[in-house]
Amino acid sequence: MAERRIVVIGTGYVGLTTGACLASLGHQVMCVDIDVEKIDRLRAGRIPMLEPGLADLVRDGQVSGRLEFTVDGDAAVAGTEFLFLCLPTPKGADGGADLRATESTVARIRDTLPVGCVVVNKSTVPVGTSVRIAGLLDRPDVAVVSNPEFLREGSAVTDFLKPDRIVVGADVPEAGARVAGLYSRLRAPVLVTDAASAELVKYVANCFLAMKLSFVNAVAEMCEHFDADVDEVLDAVGRDPRIGRSYLRPGPGWGGSCLPKDSDAMLRMADTVGFSFPLLRATIESNAQQLERVVTKLATAFGGSLDGARVGLLGLTFKAGTNDLRGSPALAVAELLAARGAELLACDPTVAGGTEVDGITVMDDPYQVAENAEALVLLTDWPQFRALDWVRMAKFLDGTVVLDTRNHLDPEKLGSAGLVCHGIGRSLKPRSWTGAPPAG
């Protein structure tokens, strides 16, 4: 594979991972950002996000000379063959994706792009964005291609270098083929389609996952009504190859930087063509209800009121393995708890003690969070919390209630410490046997 000159604009989660991974594939990559301090930190090898393997890739790329960082976008763009747009597309006022960062960047570099350059949109953008970018460029000699990312926080490097598929959407076949060629070293199916279909793929994937999670949380509530065990139910359901085991775990609600905004953006796109998309609307409404249900579940354990209750929170990030607080269901639950008058302390392995997050006092030590607390709520399934000395935790607590919103803790272990572990859709009955039927 020939080495290509690539510029990546934006050094956030997607941009930095994309740049470092493309450099590891043998390309010459320049990552551009307007934040001078951020570029200085990246040049010094300081990575802002918790992502296994990313720091090593950045270091290796810099040592080899294949990965560089700059704030001088004009100079970088002038000599590139491929320009990757990895810019934020947050939720806008109308619920759709806010494309201002993308549009302003395109307008700024329009006249600098060399003849024959391919602009690659890596960000999650509404259908029709490739056409819109081409119109803003007004450069018939520059092609625009959609190449959506499918990176999960906590496994982004693996997802990039060992993908289950690579999607390239281009209305100019030759440009699509050139972008597909950048990934020739990866063993993965490359799906080349039109730009509109490629743009829709990421939204469909995220909305389907959101729907699956909302369905699982609804099943968990059904299990509680019928005294069934959601863990047992989903274990059996997940063995069906048509369904699979992924995204079959109940929780406090889904969140993060992608699923909420992409679900809202998908609804906005549907609205523009007069489609109500009732299933997706129900998915979003069900998630909001799940957050409320978690709070109500804790209030019930208190006899109906949380006013003045001291509650310790275990976990603040939207999932374990990342330091990302964006769209975290843990923070959404905390906000609802505070609205009911609860006093909150929290601990998260990635958040420094002594700080405040959304008005929540953060401690370094989970045992400090337990001290004098009337209840604990596990919101992020960090392995450190499962490994806690729960006998010691019980000695610090003023109450016995532990609400495990991730079904992450061992109820028997907590029970032996004198605590009552309330799960989501979890029965207090012993788990059934698995494997071969018992003799006789």
Side-chain angles (χ1 to χ4, degrees):
M1 178 187 69
E3 175 186 291
R4 298 300 182 190
R5 299 188 307 278
I6 299 171
V7 167
V8 176
I9 296 187
T11 58
Y13 199 92
V14 173
L16 184 58
T17 303
T18 296
C21 288
L22 286 172
S24 76
L25 295 179
H27 301 298
Q28 191 71 36
V29 181
M30 180 70 76
C31 289
V32 179
D33 204 292
I34 60 174
D35 188 332
V36 176
E37 292 183 1
K38 188 176 187 181
I39 290 297
D40 287 342
R41 289 194 299 270
L42 291 172
R43 284 172 173 167
R46 300 200 301 273
I47 310 302
M49 65 277 292
L50 178 64
E51 188 58 51
L54 183 56
D56 292 337
L57 277 187
V58 170
R59 183 193 63 242
D60 292 346
Q62 289 177 299
V63 170
S64 69
R66 290 196 182 97
L67 180 63
E68 299 178 81
F69 299 97
T70 185
V71 293
D72 189 352
D74 288 342
V77 168
T80 193
E81 297 174 84
F82 297 87
L83 177 73
F84 277 71
L85 297 174
C86 300
L87 295 160
T89 55
K91 180 179 175 179
D94 63 353
D98 184 343
L99 299 179
R100 285 179 294 179
T102 297
E103 291 172 351
S104 63
T105 298
V106 169
R108 188 169 61 250
I109 53 89
R110 175 177 54 208
D111 298 328
T112 311
L113 289 169
V115 173
C117 178
V118 177
V119 174
V120 183
N121 204 342
K122 200 72 175 169
S123 305
T124 305
V125 293
V127 175
T129 300
S130 291
V131 174
R132 178 164 178 75
I133 290 175
L136 291 172
L137 286 172
D138 193 21
R139 291 278 305 272
D141 58 314
V142 173
V144 181
V145 172
S146 175
N147 177 215
E149 53 85 14
F150 302 99
L151 306 179
R152 297 167 298 169
E153 294 193 35
S155 60
V157 171
T158 299
D159 291 341
F160 192 104
L161 298 178
K162 297 180 180 180
D164 47 27
R165 81 285 202 199
I166 297 167
V167 177
V168 177
D171 297 328
V172 179
E174 188 271 337
R178 287 177 62 192
V179 172
L182 297 175
Y183 301 98
S184 61
R185 288 188 178 178
L186 301 182
R187 290 188 174 183
V190 179
L191 310 177
V192 180
T193 183
D194 59 277
S197 297
E199 288 166 341
L200 195 56
V201 165
K202 180 63 182 295
Y203 284 108
V204 171
N206 278 351
C207 289
F208 182 82
L209 294 176
M211 181 180 66
K212 196 172 181 181
L213 290 170
S214 285
F215 179 78
V216 163
N217 284 333
V219 168
E221 185 170 3
M222 285 286 287
C223 287
E224 291 182 10
H225 285 298
F226 289 107
D227 198 27
D229 193 309
V230 72
D231 295 337
E232 300 285 354
V233 171
L234 296 178
D235 177 60
V237 169
R239 293 172 189 266
D240 187 328
R242 298 170 300 173
I243 297 173
R245 294 177 179 272
S246 66
Y247 285 75
L248 280 189
R249 290 188 61 194
W254 43 266
S257 62
C258 292
L259 295 193
K261 77 175 182 67
D262 289 354
S263 298
D264 287 336
M266 185 77 146
L267 275 186
R268 176 60 183 155
M269 282 190 286
D271 287 340
T272 63
V273 293
F275 175 50
S276 64
F277 214 144
L279 185 58
L280 182 55
R281 291 184 191 278
T283 293
I284 296 170
E285 291 170 4
S286 178
N287 193 52
Q289 292 167 4
Q290 181 68 6
L291 299 170
E292 292 279 1
R293 182 170 169 265
V294 166
V295 176
T296 299
K297 193 176 181 72
L298 184 63
T300 300
F302 269 93
S305 175
L306 293 169
D307 192 27
R310 186 180 174 94
V311 178
L313 308 179
L314 298 178
L316 292 175
T317 55
F318 89 95
K319 72 173 185 177
T322 177
N323 58 351
D324 198 346
L325 297 169
R326 293 175 297 171
S328 173
L331 294 180
V333 169
E335 183 179 359
L336 293 173
L337 289 171
R340 294 207 188 186
E343 177 190 346
L344 304 176
L345 294 174
C347 177
D348 187 283
T350 67
V351 183
T355 60
E356 279 199 4
V357 176
D358 290 0
I360 306 164
T361 302
V362 181
M363 315 295 287
D364 281 320
D365 190 332
Y367 299 101
Q368 292 176 307
V369 170
E371 189 169 3
N372 300 323
E374 296 167 77
L376 290 175
V377 183
L378 183 137
L379 292 166
T380 313
D381 51 349
W382 288 99
Q384 297 94 315
F385 296 145
R386 185 176 173 88
L388 289 171
D389 181 343
W390 284 97
V391 172
R392 183 183 173 197
M393 289 286 282
K395 291 178 180 178
F396 284 107
L397 285 165
D398 279 351
T400 60
V401 174
V402 177
L403 176 56
D404 179 5
T405 71
R406 300 280 185 174
N407 289 356
H408 179 59
L409 305 175
D410 183 345
E412 293 184 9
K413 187 175 182 181
L414 271 65
S416 66
L419 302 173
V420 181
C421 184
H422 301 265
I424 301 296
R426 212 179 218 180
S427 172
L428 296 179
K429 295 178 180 178
R431 289 176 60 86
S432 64
W433 55 266
T434 58

